[in-house]
Amino acid sequence: MILFHLLVVVIIWTMKKKLLYGLCLFFLTFTQAQVTLFTDFTDGGNKKETLHNIWSVANRISPTNGAGVRPDVDVNLVRMIGGVKKKVNGVNVPDLAFDTVTYDEDTRTYVYNWMPLISRLDNIVNSHTKIHQLVLDQVPWAFQQGYNFIPDGQPYNGIDFKESERITIYGNALPPKDKIAYSEFIKAMMQKLIDTYGEALVLSWRFRVGSEIETPDHWRGTKQDFIDHYANTEKAVRAVLLNATIGVHTRDPEFLYKNGIEKNYKGEPFASFAKELIEYSYDNDVRYDFWGVSDYILINIAKFRDISGKYNKLYAPLLNHPKWNTNATLDLMEYSVVTTMTSPDGGYLTCNTAHTTAMNLAFTHMFYKNEKHRLDGIFRWGQRPNTIDPPSIETVKSMVGKTRYETEILGIPATSTNKLDQYLIKKPDLVSLKSGFDRKGTPSRTLTTASYNAYKNFTDFSAFEFNETKEIITTSRSDGGLGSVVILNTKIGPFEFKKFEFRQESTLEEVQTAYNGAINLPGILEAENYDLG
């Protein structure tokens, strides 16, 4: 096996202060290399933020029986107010069972029905799963009232949507026709939530408007349609709950759908709304408290796995805009490492090899390195009650609460093999894929029944575990500075990672101070009352 030689140099100040630091070192190369990491804990400029848990939120779409997630994660609830679809005899039709409002043709009024929302929220709240975010994305079907639709095949007239745009793969992707009625609906919903759960609990939830809004199947309206919709919703929410936390979910700031070929009903390409939404919000006293983007990493395509450019692609254009709200936080609201977005059995296919570990660790590094820009959390799909976090994320979570120190890296940094990697390498004769599937994908979906059974029984792989704590002796600094130096030499194989955690539970030297303060003389001086240290 090719080994990476790692030299860790840590300078520790051992006087006065009790130290508790954690370092997680990630290696992402495939050739023999020596990497040196250098950290000086005596340099205040290296001291950064306390690490928080960026992997704490799971996405869930319209759950009906509780959130269905592990107890250690919070939940982001998608498509909860209606506007979803179902298939009847293979045809997409509105699923009105989830809608919270209907339109009465006789009275020409909107009639609210909160039961579909409250019953689902009750199941989550009563299960003690923490709601992180409630998404106001697909608009209920009643708000298509008043639209005229053009038959497919005819050109747009700049006013009406086409018949085929009534229902998309996600449901209702049209903006509400009656904006005033929608504002009143949102106000009524917020009041219902407060009346049911109390203002304090509702204030702890975030409210997101939209999901990947530049994607046509999520939003068939124009850029300005959404800006108006966001402003209308934001003001309606705050009219009832002034201090509510409200934000948005877009594609990356340079997004252009299908290279600009497909156009909306106004003849405009589906492209990023970011610049215009930031400017409108700044100029019109509209506030976003958070902003989320998505990133699905197609592991077989080089440009998607280029981690070095992710920050500049996803976040820098937002943060660098002169009208950006510097108080807003940033999230990655949909994230997954996949082999394809169109699997033969439907949907995307999650990557199950160590490539995902590399991406998880790289994104963790990007978030922690840029915490000063208020990068906050990464939301994941899955996280069901019977699942566990992968070793990479488990390792990161073990460092939460510790102080991050900037590390200088000399050499070329690579991450870990897992059970699927080892199975593919050591049992190639037993690897049999279903037609059309990628060998990096989820084994239960990609492998034939016989091969999957063999995989489940396969145990010849390197288990993830931490070594016991070891004591080390420091050496004096060669530069004459305070403190001492710890040098660690270690070797790791390609696609592995190691975590080094440094703890000093007691100091080596103490500064002498007077015992209980100075004693005035003349007076009584007890023999044991000398000084501390």
Side-chain angles (χ1 to χ4, degrees):
M1 175 181 284
I2 298 175
L3 295 177
F4 296 89
H5 300 274
L6 172 66
L7 176 65
V8 183
V9 182
V10 183
I11 296 179
I12 299 179
W13 187 10
T14 59
M15 298 181 66
K16 293 185 180 179
K17 296 181 179 179
K18 179 178 179 179
L19 304 179
L20 183 60
Y21 303 120
L23 294 176
C24 195
L25 312 177
F26 311 142
F27 308 93
L28 312 174
T29 57
F30 299 89
T31 57
Q32 189 167 1
Q34 178 167 322
V35 178
T36 300
L37 295 99
F38 177 89
T39 300
D40 186 345
F41 289 143
T42 70
D43 183 351
N46 287 335
K47 186 176 181 180
K48 305 301 178 183
E49 294 80 5
T50 300
L51 301 182
H52 73 281
N53 184 6
I54 68 173
W55 298 99
S56 64
V57 180
N59 290 322
R60 187 67 67 243
I61 298 175
S62 300
T64 55
N65 297 305
V69 296
R70 297 196 313 266
D72 63 309
V73 293
D74 304 336
V75 66
N76 173 44
L77 297 169
V78 183
R79 296 179 219 157
M80 291 291 286
I81 61 174
V84 300
K85 58 90 176 178
K86 62 182 178 180
K87 282 188 178 293
V88 176
N89 298 323
V91 177
N92 287 331
V93 298
D95 188 349
L96 299 178
F98 289 94
D99 269 33
T100 46
V101 57
T102 57
Y103 184 75
D104 188 318
E105 294 278 1
D106 295 330
T107 61
R108 297 184 179 181
T109 58
Y110 291 88
V111 181
Y112 306 141
N113 173 23
W114 305 118
M115 184 57 66
L117 174 63
I118 298 301
S119 62
R120 285 178 289 157
L121 289 177
D122 279 348
N123 288 333
I124 296 167
V125 171
N126 293 336
S127 70
H128 304 294
T129 298
K130 182 180 178 182
I131 296 173
H132 181 75
Q133 190 164 267
L134 183 63
V135 180
L136 312 176
D137 44 0
Q138 310 306 120
V139 173
W141 293 107
F143 291 104
Q144 284 193 359
Q145 173 66 31
Y147 278 124
N148 295 311
F149 293 92
I150 299 171
D152 292 339
Q154 292 187 14
Y156 286 117
N157 59 15
I159 300 173
D160 300 316
F161 295 96
K162 291 187 177 181
E163 188 67 38
S164 59
E165 294 175 323
R166 285 181 186 264
I167 305 175
T168 73
I169 61 173
Y170 299 116
N172 180 20
L174 303 186
K177 177 67 173 176
D178 189 332
K179 295 180 176 60
I180 295 176
Y182 188 76
S183 175
E184 294 304 312
F185 161 73
I186 292 295
K187 292 176 186 177
M189 181 200 71
M190 293 301 299
Q191 191 60 57
K192 179 64 178 180
L193 293 177
I194 292 171
D195 292 344
T196 305
Y197 301 109
E199 184 172 314
L201 182 58
V202 178
L203 268 175
S204 71
W205 303 344
R206 306 196 322 181
F207 294 88
R208 187 182 91 196
V209 182
S211 294
E212 294 186 330
I213 53 176
E214 300 92 341
T215 308
D217 282 322
H218 279 301
W219 185 260
R220 281 282 169 182
T222 65
K223 188 178 300 186
Q224 189 59 50
D225 285 337
F226 183 79
I227 291 171
D228 293 342
H229 177 64
Y230 178 78
N232 188 38
T233 306
E234 187 261 356
K235 291 192 178 299
V237 170
R238 295 198 199 281
V240 178
L241 194 63
L242 180 61
N243 296 318
T245 303
I246 311 169
V248 67
H249 179 195
T250 69
R251 302 294 291 263
D252 68 81
E254 304 300 327
F255 176 77
L256 179 62
Y257 184 73
K258 291 187 176 180
N259 295 318
I261 296 174
E262 186 171 336
K263 303 294 195 298
N264 61 33
Y265 74 103
K266 294 285 189 182
E268 305 163 345
F270 292 95
S272 172
F273 296 179
K275 176 177 176 291
E276 290 81 357
L277 182 55
I278 291 171
E279 292 174 352
Y280 182 91
S281 298
Y282 184 91
D283 295 339
N284 294 276
D285 194 29
V286 175
R287 195 176 87 211
Y288 49 88
D289 300 303
F290 59 87
W291 194 297
V293 296
S294 298
D295 198 19
Y296 288 88
I297 300 170
L298 289 162
I299 201 64
N300 295 318
I301 301 176
K303 69 177 182 179
F304 283 93
R305 60 176 188 264
D306 177 19
I307 293 298
S308 62
K310 289 292 183 183
Y311 175 80
N312 288 333
K313 176 180 173 62
L314 299 175
Y315 298 118
L318 300 173
L319 292 162
N320 293 336
H321 194 290
K323 294 184 176 181
W324 171 254
N325 174 16
T326 56
N327 293 318
T329 58
L330 288 159
D331 297 294
L332 195 60
M333 289 192 183
E334 290 186 25
Y335 163 80
S336 189
V337 184
V338 303
T339 68
T340 178
M341 296 299 290
T342 55
S343 174
D345 60 354
Y348 65 82
L349 179 63
T350 303
C351 176
N352 238 67
T353 56
H355 302 84
T356 297
T357 303
M359 296 298 105
N360 291 345
L361 295 177
F363 267 101
T364 298
H365 176 69
M366 182 184 78
F367 264 64
Y368 284 153
K369 184 177 180 180
N370 293 285
E371 275 193 315
K372 65 181 179 181
H373 299 306
R374 299 175 64 80
L375 269 66
D376 192 43
I378 300 175
F379 302 3
R380 295 173 288 165
W381 297 105
Q383 318 315 308
R384 296 292 189 175
N386 60 345
T387 64
I388 59 174
D389 270 322
S392 55
I393 293 178
E394 181 183 337
T395 301
V396 169
K397 286 184 174 181
S398 73
M399 298 189 297
V400 170
K402 297 180 174 62
T403 301
R404 187 180 76 86
Y405 276 74
E406 198 69 50
T407 302
E408 182 180 353
I409 302 175
L410 303 176
I412 303 175
T415 189
S416 80
T417 54
N418 60 16
K419 181 175 179 178
L420 181 57
D421 294 296
Q422 294 292 322
Y423 179 70
L424 295 173
I425 293 168
K426 296 188 176 184
K427 300 291 184 181
D429 55 315
L430 298 179
V431 177
S432 179
L433 297 177
K434 297 176 184 176
S435 176
F437 279 94
D438 188 291
R439 40 192 288 127
K440 300 185 189 72
T442 306
S444 62
R445 292 171 64 189
T446 63
L447 300 177
T448 63
T449 300
S451 185
Y452 181 56
N453 288 335
Y455 163 80
K456 289 191 294 183
N457 294 324
F458 174 71
T459 57
D460 184 20
F461 68 98
S462 299
F464 167 72
E465 60 182 10
F466 288 125
N467 295 327
E468 296 296 324
T469 301
K470 296 181 180 180
E471 293 185 0
I472 57 176
I473 299 175
T474 63
T475 59
S476 300
R477 291 177 62 165
S478 59
D479 61 4
L482 287 174
S484 51
V485 177
V486 175
I487 299 177
L488 300 176
N489 282 285
T490 189
K491 296 179 179 180
I492 63 171
F495 273 88
E496 292 183 357
F497 71 92
K498 286 190 175 183
K499 168 191 170 185
F500 293 88
E501 184 171 302
F502 298 85
R503 296 175 181 267
Q504 182 181 331
E505 299 298 345
S506 61
T507 58
L508 298 181
E509 299 180 42
E510 300 283 357
V511 177
Q512 291 184 321
T513 57
Y515 182 88
N516 288 336
I519 298 176
N520 294 322
L521 297 176
I524 298 174
L525 175 63
E526 298 288 348
E528 69 273 15
N529 288 359
Y530 294 133
D531 56 11
L532 296 175

